[in-house]
Amino acid sequence: LACKACSTQCPIHVDVPSFRSRFLQLYHTRYARPIKDYMVGSTEKAGQIMSQFPRVVNRVLNSTFSQKLIQSMGMVDVPSFSPLSLADLQKEENIPTWNFKHKRSVSKESTSDQVILVQDAFTSFYEAGLMIEFSCLLKKIGLEVFLTPFYENGKPLHVKGFLKEFHKVAVKQESRLNEIHNSGIPMVGIEPSIVLTYRDEYPEILMKEKMEFTVMLPQEFLSQQLERLKAVKPQNSQSYSFLGHCMEKTGASNSQNQWIDVFQALGQDLQLLEVGCCGMAGTYGHELEHLEESKGIYEMSWKTHCKENNHQEQTLLVSGFSCRSQVQRFENFRPLHPLQALNRLI
């Protein structure tokens, strides 16, 4: 019920995720919250600290004692942090962090050759290499890339109904992103659930019709760079299959076809596969009480395309972090993000 298909495809646009969050907030003014709610709600704040020491934290989290403790709290298959932190990889690839001092030195002419990547917890903490691969792809087509510092988005807080805390995070993040927006440089985020929070949950919690700033999905930005992509000549032609993220399909309906346009600009074939929810649905599949339901949902449509003996490790592309984690959990391989496939073509 968190995919928001209800709010876009229902004739009267009932927004289940929003009223669920409001219910949880109200319900837990009277009844105590389970510990797992606090675990989920603190994903960004705690992860920002733990991701700086990934090897030590992973060793602790993967210990038998920790696994039993996490399960006793109602969670299962909690993802490991990237072995190398994003800060280390960023330094290695010489990708600058956006500093508000840059604003004063940016000319209107140069903004068309620059892009700012907005960090999100899932990519920055657990798939840092994906953020770097996207940066490398953008540099290969002639763009200067900046990374924002990591700031909380608040999505996990909204999911569990911590709406007062979510409001505080949204106010701070709106101020930061408005300031970056004023530089005139486009902002792009990788994880669909986080990017679309800026479009859906932020206006609602801040009581605004629309946000001043815009954070684009990768395919939305790359579809504006087709001439740059066409100027690059990949040596090989490949056929790919694509499984989209639920919120991406329902909250940005043109986003799937934009991926096709991007791949065609590089002379590649991309087939969209029709599937429902992967069953992970953010934190849902990580909750022990929902594990069997999560697996059952996955087997309804995703398993047909992802089963281990398909040998599609390099050609099956999946845009959602949760979806890639679900495939890895049940099929023992992690599909590539479309950005990784594009970067490796060039």
Side-chain angles (χ1 to χ4, degrees), residues 65 90 190 216 251:
F65 173 78
Q90 184 183 351
I190 292 180
M216 289 187 278

Side-chain angles (χ1 to χ4, degrees), residues 17-270:
S18 292
F19 78 65
R20 184 188 62 180
S21 293
R22 291 196 295 272
F23 166 78
L24 288 173
Q25 180 195 34
L26 180 62
Y27 181 84
H28 290 300
T29 60
R30 178 174 295 183
Y31 302 103
R33 285 184 176 274
I35 295 177
K36 67 181 180 181
D37 281 17
Y38 293 102
M39 284 181 65
V40 172
S42 65
T43 297
E44 293 180 306
K45 196 178 292 291
Q48 189 174 5
I49 299 170
M50 292 191 288
S51 64
Q52 297 177 37
F53 315 98
R55 297 181 191 278
V56 174
V57 172
N58 285 341
R59 196 176 300 122
V60 172
L61 288 178
N62 292 324
S63 69
T64 303
F65 173 78
S66 295
Q67 290 296 308
K68 288 182 178 179
L69 180 62
I70 291 170
Q71 284 198 23
S72 71
M73 296 177 183
M75 301 296 287
V76 65
D77 297 331
V78 176
S80 297
F81 290 89
S82 296
L84 288 175
S85 70
L86 179 58
D88 290 337
L89 292 171
Q90 184 183 351
K91 185 177 181 181
E92 189 176 301
E93 293 293 333
N94 195 28
I95 301 169
T97 298
W98 173 261
N99 189 307
F100 292 108
K101 293 186 295 184
H102 287 125
K103 179 182 174 183
R104 294 189 288 273
S105 62
V106 171
S107 65
K108 289 185 178 179
E109 292 74 20
S110 67
T111 57
S112 61
D113 295 325
Q114 296 177 320
V115 59
I116 298 173
L117 301 188
V118 179
Q119 290 194 50
D120 67 84
F122 302 106
T123 309
S124 297
F125 300 165
Y126 309 116
E127 290 188 309
L130 173 55
M131 184 71 78
I132 299 302
E133 288 207 61
F134 188 23
S135 301
C136 291
L137 170 65
L138 294 170
K139 290 199 287 186
K140 288 174 183 177
I141 61 174
L143 295 169
E144 184 180 7
V145 183
F146 298 93
L147 259 62
T148 64
F150 176 80
Y151 298 116
E152 289 181 75
N153 164 276
K155 176 69 173 179
L157 293 169
H158 184 272
V159 167
K160 290 299 182 182
F162 292 99
L163 294 187
K164 291 181 180 178
E165 293 83 352
F166 177 57
H167 181 268
K168 291 177 183 177
V169 169
V171 169
K172 291 180 181 178
Q173 184 70 326
E174 178 198 24
S175 176
R176 299 185 193 105
L177 295 182
N178 277 341
E179 191 165 350
I180 299 174
H181 169 77
N182 291 335
S183 72
I185 302 175
M187 292 185 285
V188 184
I190 292 180
E191 175 57 29
S193 61
I194 297 297
V195 172
L196 296 176
T197 297
Y198 295 128
R199 302 183 193 181
D200 295 336
E201 283 79 14
Y202 269 44
E204 180 181 15
I205 197 73
L206 298 174
M207 293 184 289
K208 296 186 176 183
E209 186 174 339
K210 187 179 179 182
M211 305 310 296
E212 179 184 334
F213 65 86
T214 299
V215 179
M216 289 187 278
L217 292 164
Q219 64 271 40
E220 291 173 335
F221 177 73
L222 290 174
S223 66
Q224 299 175 3
Q225 310 296 323
L226 297 183
E227 292 306 313
R228 290 179 184 270
L229 290 166
K230 289 176 182 177
V232 181
K233 303 293 182 184
Q235 294 181 342
N236 302 317
S237 180
Q238 182 66 269
S239 180
Y240 297 92
S241 300
F242 176 68
L243 296 166
H245 187 280
C246 287
M247 289 184 67
E248 199 174 34
K249 289 185 282 189
T250 58
S253 57
N254 197 38
S255 63
Q256 308 297 283
N257 290 325
Q258 287 170 332
W259 277 126
I260 294 177
D261 294 340
V262 170
F263 274 79
Q264 284 182 342
L266 284 171
Q268 311 299 313
D269 178 56
L270 183 69

